[in-house]
């Protein structure tokens, strides 16, 4: 559906996006994650033909360029602030784009906008505008939808509604590229994780694979943690004491077992630690910063 190959985006003379390649298939929900200033909005704008770039971008095998947007006819997007005409009602805003009245009515009702959709948009709250922006992006059942921080300003019910809607559209074949700082939200819907930092992709994996391969910490419980800790210190094997157990890196499992065995300390438990999705992302970003600092 979307193919981004070796794309570089410059703002002025500064290269913001550095040789990014990315594929999104029909029905996939790709979560675009990264720290502030990583380049998430910029890559989204580039895909929408809104910036100068080098490399190639195709949507449904048709090329996108800064001057040719025909390939984007079936692409919906919400980037930064939704484009809403304040002196039109919410419904009139939707009617500007809608090709099918039933589609419009269904979106209004699923997003629970019925009570205010006939009011002028200038009186809408942040969350109401955000929902209207999401509805505009989803109108006409696009092939690809690009959403930059869609959950911004939404209450819990609206967040759940948007999540359901995204899943429903993905089941019907719509591909999604979604950025969000609310990782727990993205985690519930995304099928693919793309982690970006300093304009480069450092992870691009199916979510199950990401969760599996990123579990690198282990919990170790011994019959005598104090003695175990002093032995590990002596052997220069790093650990952290957490509650009544030690946390160690996967790569040190065998070394630790050796030390404990040689010193007759019984191991009571050794288990992979269930890191939260946030922790996994932070660990990867920390490692990446470490690499950059070491350069
Ligand atoms: P956030 O999570 O804070 O929204 P982001 O990942 O979306 O961040 P971008 O908005 O894409 O990041 O910005 C990437 C980099 O490009 C930043 O260093 C930013 O300062 C720079 N940048 C973006 N737009 C412009 C612009 N119009 N002029 C100059 N620099 C820009």
């Amino acid at each position: 559906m979307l193919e981004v190959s070796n794309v570089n985006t410059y703002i002025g003379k500064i290269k913001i996006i550095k040789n990014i390649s990315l594929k999104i298939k029909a029905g996939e929900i790709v979560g675009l994650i990264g720290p502030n200033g990583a380049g998430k909005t910029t890559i989204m704008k580039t895909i929408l033909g809104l910036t100068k770039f080098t490399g190639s971008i195709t949507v449904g095998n048709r090329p996108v360029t800064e001057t040719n947007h025909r390939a984007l006819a079936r692409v919906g997007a919400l980037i930064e602030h939704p484009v809403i005409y304040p002196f039109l009602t919410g419904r009139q805003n939707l009617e500007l784009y809608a090709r099918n009245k039933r589609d419009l009515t269904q979106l209004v009702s699923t997003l629970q906008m019925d009570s205010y959709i006939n009011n002028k948009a200038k009186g809408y709250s942040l969350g109401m505008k955000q929902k209207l922006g999401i509805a505009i992006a989803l109108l006409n059942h696009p092939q690809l939808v690009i959403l930059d921080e869609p959950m911004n300003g939404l209450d819990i019910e609206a967040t759940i509604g948007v999540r359901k809607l995204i899943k429903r559209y993905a089941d019907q074949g719509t591909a999604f590229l979604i950025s969000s700082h609310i990782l727990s939200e993205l985690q519930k819907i995304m099928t693919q994780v793309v982690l970006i930092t300093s304009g480069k992709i450092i992870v691009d994996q199916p979510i199950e694979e990401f969760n599996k391969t990123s579990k690198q910490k282990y919990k170790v419980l011994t019959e005598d943690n104090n003695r175990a800790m002093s032995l590990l210190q002596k052997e220069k094997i790093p650990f952290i004491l957490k509650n009544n157990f030690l946390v160690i890196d996967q790569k040190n499992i065998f070394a630790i077992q050796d030390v404990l065995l040689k010193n007759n300390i019984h191991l009571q438990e050794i288990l992979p630690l269930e890191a939260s999705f946030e922790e996994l992302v932070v660990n990867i970003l920390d490692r990446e910063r470490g690499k950059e600092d070491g350069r």
Side-chain angles (χ1 to χ4, degrees):
M1 186 62 62
L2 170 70
E3 200 158 340
V4 173
S5 306
N6 307 110
V7 163
N8 294 289
T9 306
Y10 294 82
I11 297 184
K13 284 192 177 150
I14 303 170
K15 199 197 262 192
I16 305 286
I17 296 300
K18 297 161 191 159
N19 205 32
I20 276 190
S21 297
L22 176 71
K23 277 186 194 170
I24 308 184
K25 296 195 199 101
E28 276 186 348
I29 304 174
V30 176
L32 185 62
I33 297 165
N36 290 130
K40 302 180 294 294
T41 304
T42 308
I43 187 66
M44 288 177 151
K45 283 185 178 168
T46 304
I47 292 168
L48 293 168
L50 299 173
T51 66
K52 281 203 168 68
F53 67 93
T54 62
S56 110
I57 298 175
T58 59
V59 176
N61 292 323
R62 297 166 74 196
V64 177
T65 67
E66 208 201 348
T67 49
N68 185 348
H69 293 173
R70 259 174 293 171
L72 301 168
R74 294 202 55 208
V75 176
L78 172 63
I79 302 275
E80 291 172 340
H81 307 290
V83 181
I84 291 169
Y85 293 95
F87 295 103
L88 297 182
T89 66
R91 188 182 300 282
Q92 286 166 334
N93 268 284
L94 288 167
E95 281 167 355
L96 292 175
Y97 309 94
R99 273 189 234 124
N100 174 325
K101 202 161 176 228
R102 232 180 94 217
D103 184 29
L104 185 160
T105 313
Q106 242 176 21
L107 277 169
V108 169
S109 125
T110 316
L111 289 167
Q112 300 183 334
M113 299 192 294
D114 299 273
S115 63
Y116 55 84
I117 198 68
N118 294 319
N119 300 346
K120 289 218 162 72
K122 69 182 165 78
Y124 283 13
S125 70
L126 180 70
M128 289 168 166
K129 282 187 203 148
Q130 189 73 357
K131 285 206 274 186
L132 187 56
I134 291 171
I136 292 172
L138 291 175
L139 274 174
N140 309 321
H141 285 264
Q143 292 174 310
L144 170 69
V145 176
I146 296 181
L147 301 173
D148 194 9
E149 298 285 346
M151 307 306 187
N152 258 0
L154 297 190
D155 62 25
I156 296 171
E157 273 192 321
T159 305
I160 295 171
V162 169
R163 200 161 70 210
K164 277 192 188 151
L165 212 46
I166 292 173
K167 274 196 177 153
R168 195 198 304 157
Y169 274 63
D171 285 345
Q172 292 165 4
T174 300
F176 283 87
L177 178 64
I178 308 176
S179 82
S180 178
H181 287 292
I182 312 172
L183 299 188
S184 52
E185 249 331 299
L186 266 189
Q187 194 190 6
K188 288 186 185 124
I189 49 173
M190 67 182 156
T191 56
Q192 191 84 10
V193 186
V194 171
L195 194 50
I196 169 173
T197 179
S198 309
K200 286 180 284 186
I201 290 181
I202 55 168
V203 172
D204 183 357
Q205 276 183 327
I207 182 77
E208 302 84 21
E209 214 176 284
F210 177 83
N211 284 334
K212 244 188 268 161
T213 52
S214 304
K215 253 180 221 150
Q216 298 204 324
K217 301 272 180 214
Y218 276 71
K219 162 184 175 175
V220 178
L221 188 64
T222 74
E223 59 173 4
D224 187 347
N225 280 345
N226 287 336
R227 249 187 88 214
M229 283 193 294
S230 65
L231 287 164
L232 294 181
Q233 264 161 357
K234 216 166 102 195
E235 297 290 332
K236 296 201 167 57
I237 301 173
F239 64 87
I240 301 166
L241 178 67
K242 195 171 171 185
N243 303 324
N244 63 337
F245 56 86
L246 311 180
V247 179
I248 58 149
D249 283 346
Q250 186 178 30
K251 63 176 193 281
N252 291 323
I253 285 181
F254 294 117
I256 283 172
Q257 283 176 332
D258 254 13
V259 172
L260 297 180
L261 194 70
K262 272 186 205 143
N263 292 281
N264 283 326
I265 300 176
H266 286 120
L267 196 58
Q268 290 176 332
E269 201 170 64
I270 183 156
L271 285 173
L273 261 184
E274 287 288 333
S276 70
F277 185 72
E278 276 93 346
E279 283 168 334
L280 296 179
V281 170
V282 169
N283 286 345
I284 293 175
L285 291 174
D286 278 350
R287 278 208 300 272
E288 193 62 25
R289 270 186 213 111
K291 270 194 233 161
E292 278 177 5
D293 292 346
R295 233 173 251 152

